[in-house]
Amino acid sequence: MDEPFNITLLIVLTVIAGISAQVVADYFKVPSIVFLLLFGIILGSDGLGVLHPHLLGDGLEVIVALSVALILFEGGLNLELRDLGRVSGSLRNLVTIGTLITLVGGGMAAHWLGEFPWPIAFLYASLVVVTGPTVIGPLLKQVQVDRQVATLLEGEGVLIDPVGAILAVLVLDIVLNGDTDPVKLITGLILRLGIGSALGAAGGWGLGFFLKKAQFLSDDLKNLVVLAGLWGLFGLAQEIRSESGLMATVVAGLVLRAASLPEERLLRRFKGQLTILAVSVLFILLAADLSLASIVALGWGSVLTVLALMFIVRPINVWLCTLDSGLNWRQKLFICWIAPRGIVSASVSSLFSILLTQRGINGGDSIKALVFLTIIITVFVQGLTAGWVAKLLRVTSKMATGAVIVGSNPMSRLIARLFKERGESVVLIDTNPEACQEAKKENLPVLMSSALDTKVLEEAGLAKAGTFLAMTSNGEVNLVLAQRAVEEFQPPRVLAIFPGESEAIASGNNSKILQPFVADFTMKTWNQYINDGEVKLGETVLKQVGFAFQMEHLQALIRSGELVPLLRERDNHLQVVSPSESWQAGDRIIYLLHSPKPKLLKRLSGANNSRLTLEKLPAVEEIPMPAALLNPTIEEAKAEG
């Protein structure tokens, strides 16, 4: 009874420590692997001695294998194929030629600087040819860099992992059996990659076909079907040819992504949560099993080995593989800097250490220690400085501008016209021919199609737009559209008019979906106001002097329902206002003010509804607040209206 209890306690403490590390990392906005390594080492045998991974025995190898398969599948599922096409040449070079450069360069560094025997030196190099998708992914979410650079780094992190893992197994086979035939080495690599790719493509297509046809399954059960299919595919590939399973999982993820499943958003969220759990458990267990004494025993030569890998081998690799890429020197330099090692290197090195020790070959613990030293240095140095380096090299993504607006109603057309008049791109999408015709009369770009189709969103330019705004008459549809925009295109700002009870759903999304304008905005009412000519369109600049006074009366008018702020212009960038907006002095606010008088005048004169215009005043300093905002009472504000 004692041993099962110890194993249960080990797993429970591991999960708690792993998730705690993720929470702390998320709070401080740093790569989670930083705290996963720290927590694992502190709780391991060289720290508090709370976690003892050796209790799992062979079970540790099983946990590692299945978790890595899940991580790589999730990586393939998240790769954006249309973006990969733009960097395909450089990506192909990094995964093929780059792997060879790192293998040779890393082996030479480990031998000459780390004083490892040639076989062990090349075994180390084969373990660190891979970058860490579980590190790079979260890192690029925190550091917004040029899309081409981000795609290249993400693609390399996912696709090079199975190649590196297979290469490491082949090098291990040479170390254990002494067979150094290069033809056999290359043949084994190609064979495993080919078998894994074929099985992955077939399995991914089969899963996609089944999920589309099995309409009787609930969404939750479909997610579990994919998990079972993934592990079944991995196990089958491993049985047919050892170490081909990882390639099968990556390709299966890519193919399933290309299948465009209706439930893809839920599937990716589910797999993302499982991946976070798998990474948390793996890193805690592997770090807890690490001997700090073995790292210290490596000496300064091993530190120099890692530095050579970072500052000599990686730059040579990147510059040769991106010669014809069209990337500028700043982008290339940033790619050189970002190559943190992660879970695949850690897990495979831990398994190799056990195998080498079992075969009586010296160097198993040293290999594991050197790989973890590489992970620690690359993650801490590159991961923690990525944002600073990106700003220094000026490769941060430019603030996206323009908007894609779903729904061609009076309010959305007004917003679109304001964007257009500011020189920003805007596209309206609607399925109603009459609504589209109204947009065309105002010379606004419009697509008569369904925004549920991602191809339509791509045609509208959402991949480069700064704002997505869903303003149809159906709030539930708006929320679905906004969620799809977040999952597929990740625009910087996503807004949708949806029912209040759906707010928790929207807030739970990774990129929060905002309500536009004001809380409980009634679009039907304001559309009617616009049609009846009962509104005035104006703008004002919030000034430093009297800012609090301006804000007090501005908020009073908003609460009374007399005024709706539409857009905020700051630093020459236009944004749709949300209720949680934080305003500051210098902001230019464009608003609608409810004014019933024009309707009466229009009826008396028999005039047609005129186009709503925003007066262009001579200078920012001369733009006044509406009189309503300068008076101290709501009653006077209404009288002014």
Side-chain angles (χ1 to χ4, degrees):
M1 291 293 291
D2 188 45
E3 185 172 337
F5 175 76
N6 288 336
I7 294 177
T8 302
L9 187 60
L10 169 67
I11 296 298
V12 170
L13 290 176
T14 298
V15 172
I16 292 174
I19 300 304
S20 299
Q22 293 279 2
V23 171
V24 175
D26 201 46
Y27 178 79
F28 287 106
K29 303 300 179 185
V30 299
S32 59
I33 190 175
V34 171
F35 288 101
L36 289 170
L37 286 171
L38 286 176
F39 283 26
I41 292 172
I42 290 171
L43 297 175
S45 55
D46 283 359
L48 300 177
V50 176
L51 298 181
H52 302 283
H54 66 271
L55 292 175
L56 294 172
D58 294 338
L60 179 60
E61 183 177 348
V62 176
I63 292 174
V64 168
L66 294 179
S67 297
V68 171
L70 176 62
I71 291 166
L72 294 185
F73 173 79
E74 197 256 349
L77 194 63
N78 284 329
L79 281 182
E80 187 54 71
L81 296 180
R82 61 172 171 265
D83 289 337
L84 287 180
R86 302 182 187 129
V87 295
S88 57
S90 299
L91 183 58
R92 180 192 62 243
N93 292 340
L94 285 172
V95 175
T96 53
I97 300 172
T99 300
L100 182 61
I101 292 173
T102 306
L103 177 66
V104 174
M108 293 167 65
H111 177 71
W112 289 333
L113 299 175
E115 299 181 354
F116 281 83
W118 281 112
I120 301 298
F122 278 109
L123 183 58
Y124 159 75
S126 69
L127 290 166
V128 295
V129 298
V130 300
T131 56
T134 54
V135 185
I136 289 177
L139 190 64
L140 293 177
K141 288 180 180 178
Q142 296 165 9
V143 183
Q144 297 295 325
V145 298
D146 177 81
R147 188 59 200 160
Q148 193 175 7
V149 172
T151 301
L152 190 57
L153 287 171
E154 289 172 345
E156 180 194 17
V158 172
L159 297 178
I160 205 171
D161 271 2
V163 177
I166 294 171
L167 179 63
V169 169
L170 295 175
V171 175
L172 177 66
D173 186 56
I174 293 174
V175 173
L176 295 177
N177 303 318
D179 189 353
T180 57
D181 183 2
V183 176
K184 185 177 179 181
L185 180 68
I186 295 173
T187 302
L189 179 63
I190 295 175
L191 186 61
R192 286 174 168 85
L193 291 176
I195 291 174
S197 298
L199 286 174
W205 179 87
L207 278 173
F209 179 80
F210 176 76
L211 292 175
K212 286 181 177 179
K213 296 296 182 182
Q215 299 297 327
F216 60 90
L217 292 177
S218 66
D219 290 337
D220 292 337
L221 192 53
K222 286 180 180 180
N223 290 337
L224 294 176
V225 166
V226 174
L227 179 62
L230 157 68
W231 278 340
L233 191 62
F234 173 74
L236 176 62
Q238 290 290 92
E239 285 296 317
I240 295 176
R241 191 75 177 187
S242 64
E243 307 312 320
S244 63
L246 295 183
M247 192 66 190
T249 60
V250 172
V251 175
L254 287 169
V255 172
L256 198 58
R257 172 65 182 267
S260 300
L261 297 175
E263 308 84 3
E264 184 182 312
R265 176 180 55 83
L266 298 176
L267 174 63
R268 284 161 57 189
R269 180 179 296 178
F270 174 67
K271 290 295 179 288
Q273 292 168 343
L274 285 181
T275 296
I276 291 174
L277 177 62
V279 169
S280 303
V281 170
L282 278 187
F283 264 117
I284 292 292
L285 288 176
L286 296 177
D289 199 38
L290 179 65
S291 170
L292 294 179
S294 63
I295 293 180
V296 174
L298 293 175
W300 287 104
S302 295
V303 176
L304 294 176
T305 299
V306 178
L307 295 179
L309 191 70
M310 294 169 60
F311 298 113
I312 299 176
V313 178
R314 176 66 175 178
I316 293 174
N317 179 357
V318 171
W319 285 90
L320 289 178
C321 293
T322 59
L323 281 176
D324 300 323
S325 63
L327 296 171
N328 60 45
W329 68 269
R330 291 187 181 89
Q331 293 171 316
K332 292 180 181 180
L333 197 56
F334 184 76
I335 295 171
C336 292
W337 184 246
I338 303 299
R341 272 57 180 183
I343 192 64
V344 174
S345 295
S347 57
V348 177
S349 66
S350 298
L351 296 179
F352 283 11
S353 174
I354 297 171
L355 291 174
L356 290 172
T357 302
Q358 290 175 348
R359 294 288 292 269
I361 298 176
N362 293 328
D365 289 339
S366 298
I367 280 286
K368 179 180 176 181
L370 184 54
V371 169
F372 269 86
L373 180 65
T374 305
I375 293 172
I376 291 170
I377 293 178
T378 56
V379 167
F380 275 79
V381 174
Q382 298 174 342
L384 297 179
T385 62
W388 177 79
V389 172
K391 291 179 181 177
L392 179 67
L393 295 174
R394 300 197 298 274
V395 296
T396 52
S397 57
K398 297 179 181 178
M399 188 174 288
T401 60
V404 173
I405 304 175
V406 183
S408 179
N409 52 67
M411 177 66 84
S412 60
R413 291 197 297 272
L414 174 60
I415 299 293
R417 183 161 56 80
L418 290 170
F419 270 98
K420 185 179 178 181
E421 289 175 353
R422 288 301 196 278
E424 298 194 22
S425 63
V426 64
V427 176
L428 290 160
I429 303 174
D430 204 308
T431 56
N432 187 327
E434 294 180 2
C436 292
Q437 192 61 36
E438 290 295 325
K440 291 178 181 178
K441 288 180 181 178
E442 298 184 31
N443 295 318
L444 295 171
V446 62
L447 295 176
M448 192 176 71
S449 189
S450 171
L452 291 170
D453 188 346
T454 53
K455 292 181 180 178
V456 173
L457 295 177
E458 186 173 0
E459 183 183 352
L462 186 54
K464 297 181 180 179
T467 300
F468 176 83
L469 177 59
M471 292 183 63
T472 73
S473 58
N474 190 322
E476 298 294 343
V477 170
N478 291 337
L479 183 56
V480 170
L481 291 171
Q483 288 173 328
R484 176 158 296 188
V486 170
E487 295 289 344
E488 296 291 338
F489 296 91
Q490 299 178 351
R493 197 167 174 86
V494 177
L495 305 100
I497 295 176
F498 51 82
E501 59 269 17
S502 301
E503 188 169 359
I505 300 175
S507 300
N509 206 290
N510 290 336
S511 180
K512 187 178 179 181
I513 300 169
L514 303 172
Q515 289 266 19
F517 315 131
V518 294
D520 301 322
F521 175 75
T522 52
M523 188 172 67
K524 182 178 180 180
T525 300
W526 281 88
N527 277 335
Q528 191 62 48
Y529 287 164
I530 295 173
N531 283 333
D532 291 341
E534 294 185 3
V535 291
K536 291 180 180 178
L537 181 62
E539 64 180 18
T540 190
V541 174
L542 301 178
K543 297 180 180 180
Q544 188 69 47
V545 179
F547 175 76
F549 185 75
Q550 283 182 305
M551 286 300 303
E552 178 184 348
H553 293 288
L554 182 63
Q555 294 296 339
L557 274 180
I558 292 174
R559 288 193 297 270
S560 72
E562 296 293 314
L563 181 145
V564 172
L566 302 179
L567 301 172
R568 184 200 70 190
E569 188 173 22
R570 179 187 296 170
D571 299 329
N572 296 319
H573 182 63
L574 208 59
Q575 281 192 340
V576 177
V577 169
S578 72
S580 58
E581 202 68 57
S582 175
W583 293 347
Q584 61 189 38
D587 286 347
R588 182 191 297 270
I589 308 300
I590 301 174
Y591 57 84
L592 274 181
L593 188 66
H594 181 212
S595 176
K597 286 185 178 180
K599 180 180 179 181
L600 177 60
L601 293 175
K602 183 182 70 173
R603 288 177 177 174
L604 291 175
S605 64
N608 294 326
N609 186 21
S610 60
R611 184 172 180 266
L612 200 59
T613 59
L614 179 66
E615 292 186 6
K616 302 296 181 182
L617 298 177
V620 170
E621 290 74 11
E622 298 177 22
I623 296 177
M625 293 288 285
L629 301 186
L630 297 177
N631 293 329
T633 65
I634 294 298
E635 288 73 16
E636 291 175 353
K638 290 180 179 179
E640 177 65 25

